[in-house]
Amino acid sequence: LKIFLMPDPAADAISSRAFLRQLLGHLHEIDSQTANRLAKLGLQTVQDAVFYFPRNYEYPAPPTPLNQLRDGVDAAVVGTITEMDLRTTGDGRCIVGALVEAGQDAVRLLFFNQVFWLEKLARGMRVMVSGRPRLSGLRMEFVHPQVTILSEDDELPCGSILPVYGLTEGLKQALMRRLIPPLVRKAAPLIREVLPPSLRQAAGERLQTSALLPIDQALCHLHQPTDDPSLQQARRRFVFQELLVLQLALALQRRRLTTELTAPAMPANNEIDSRIHRRFGFTLTGDQQRVISEVAADMGRQYPMNRLIQGDVGSGKTVIAQYAMLLTVAHGHQAMLMAPTEILARQHHNTLSSALAGSRVRLGLLTGSLPAPQRRQILDRFAAGEVDVLVGTQALLYGQVVPAKLGLVVIDEQHKFGVGQRAMLRRGGLDPHSLVLSATPIPRTLAMTLFGDLDISTLREKPPGRKPVRTYLAVKQWRARWWEFVRQHLSEGRQAYVVTPRVVAAPAAMQNSTTLAIDGEDSAEQVSNAQQVFAELTAGPLQGFRVDLLHGRLPAEAKHEVMQRFAQRRCHVLVCTTVIEVGIDVPNATVMTILGGEHFGLAQLHQLRGRVARGTVGGHVCVFTDRDGDPEENERLQIFAQTSDGFELAEADFRLRGPGDLLGTRQSGLPPMRIADLQRDQTILTVARELAQELIDADPLLEAAEYEQLKKQVLRRYGEVLELGDVA
Ligand code: ADP
Ligand code: MG
């Protein structure tokens, strides 16, 4: 391809690294308007442009011989311009025409009102033209095709791979392709290598490929790949680099937590242990025992525990938190338990209150809806050391919460909190131990990235006597029969949930009927909503039973009352939204109806199902969709119905969502990945993690000269969010 760069008057600068810092607007091939647009993409300097990786690639087809063009079928042709002309039409428009010949054949190019083509194209030029030809008379014609000017000796760009850059308004792909790759070729040799040769070699070996490419080669191949293998090699190198940098940051943080922070050592002993066990109303499962001993071992050390407990819904994670909190209190320290919703915080508070009835442990509850005076009082008592266990919502994160002697922080349903929030809880003098509970089993790769700073315990075993939950996907016609089934269970003394995706009807459906008629298309998409379903059920199928409505828009007090009534069996059916998704524990509720199932994610559905998997009677979940037709056709719902193992579901979910939604990174508060795809690049991730750990074990602060660049990268990207300050 013809390169747009003329001999550079500042050629000397190119040999120095100053070129990398040169502002793009100062390069003579970039005008100020283009420079402004590039700046919108975050591209200010040459170096920025070099690291602006294509987000995709095009693999253009080889050119079609002119006599094989077909009307209306996209194609690319190569030929020489033999004529140029300009015509004006009666209505004042102008048409630039060009004739492109190859061998015996010719095609016409037409550009309406684009006079500039007269200057760009000239007779004798070799060009590649691509677009959709149409037959006009006897000749094929391209209207507004893409035209690439080829130099005489240029190899045809056929088969070559074209980068696709992210664009912004006014910036054309063609311009980016003309601008960036040549810059990269000039600048790449000046870029400092981040991965020393030994590391590129080691990574290659573990990935069972050749050594990773040096940075300059990889950059060139990434922006201007010559063929697919070299593109993949280049990509592999940067994916590895990106993941290694992340894993190093996480390894540094893990190390810092174990060696540089001090936490109160709170070992368990037989006496404490049996005192705590007496408080549980059941015998622990083997898995619970094992995890508790892992937790107790952690808490016996003088540096903070940093452990994630992952266990499927209903696997009994709460007792582990209880154990850890009571161990803390036994040692005269305070514990905090943070839950993502107020309902759940209250439930934990209730469970603890009854488990601790008659003990000396002093409990407190802090939620956002607490009136100021009570809030003040709780905070004061906590600060004075008069509250041993403080349960709450995110209100616990705020600065006014000043514990007297904090020993442990437990976070329930971790997937709802980000890295930053976790960091906020580690504050002040002695660092508390921290325990994180997650009911959304996290696929291994995600766990390794998002929670790479945590040790992980897994609860696989369910408490004994659990009956499986049956899951049905039902077509609309089944509704009557299903409600009959629900009624029967209610009559036997069971309780039920009915879950809908929305609280109220969508705005469109609430408007008057005239609008409805006009927007017929839109309003056809009726989404089940709690209010309407509540009205229908109480008037019809569930008449005679006590039905309550629960959703996020109710005031906290009202929510609490509804939950209380349900937990105490004073209400039979809860029509609700996903406010009950997380953590709610009412073992007598065994039947769940999910309406509008297609609007829920897999993890959500599984969480919901977890609500009726708690007792010793088998649960039943029936999913209806809002759309007519067979719910079996919905892949997500099908997987949901077929799989009851949360770990399997999590992997399936991850696969289904595809690379676009890095569920974790967005929620976690970590900067997004630029090139790595946590799903596709699992193998590289594993290798990066291994090597990162080995590097840190051998050189805990990455002080060797050969890691200087690598360390810089780690600090630049993660220093702040992971609080690696003292490593720097
Ligand atoms: P999750 O892991 O979803 O948070 P919970 O801790 O809420 O699960 O436990 C689910 C239910 O199982 C609760 O009702 C709890 O009392 C009960 N449970 C937990 N462990 C056991 C056990 N070992 N034996 C019997 N029931 C248990
Ligand atoms: Mg729970």
Side-chain angles (χ1 to χ4, degrees), residues 371-425:
Q374 270 113 303
R375 185 187 177 79
R376 194 63 267 159
Q377 196 198 7
I378 267 287
L379 288 174
D380 288 345
R381 288 177 53 216
F382 195 50
E386 293 162 12
V387 167
D388 303 302
V389 175
L390 184 59
V391 181
T393 53
Q394 303 190 24
L396 292 177
L397 288 171
Y398 305 129
Q400 313 99 300
V401 183
V402 186
K405 220 179 161 196
L406 188 61
L408 172 74
V409 171
V410 182
I411 306 182
D412 197 13
E413 305 299 344
Q414 155 69 43
H415 58 288
K416 302 269 171 182
F417 299 107
V419 168
Q421 283 174 312
R422 263 193 281 142
M424 274 176 80
L425 280 166

Side-chain angles (χ1 to χ4, degrees), residues 318-349:
T318 313
V319 287
I320 293 164
Q322 279 181 20
Y323 186 98
M325 293 193 287
L326 295 183
L327 182 57
T328 307
V329 177
H331 281 276
H333 287 272
Q334 293 170 303
M336 299 209 288
L337 168 59
M338 181 158 91
T341 65
E342 182 147 352
I343 294 184
L344 192 52
R346 295 219 193 212
Q347 178 182 287
H348 278 310
H349 185 255

Side-chain angles (χ1 to χ4, degrees), residues 467-487:
K467 290 271 170 33
V469 177
R470 286 170 205 279
T471 307
Y472 320 96
L473 301 185
V475 289
K476 273 196 176 140
Q477 295 85 302
W478 284 18
R479 284 209 187 185
R481 271 170 64 197
W482 172 252
W483 294 127
E484 173 68 44
F485 178 86
V486 175
R487 274 200 304 275

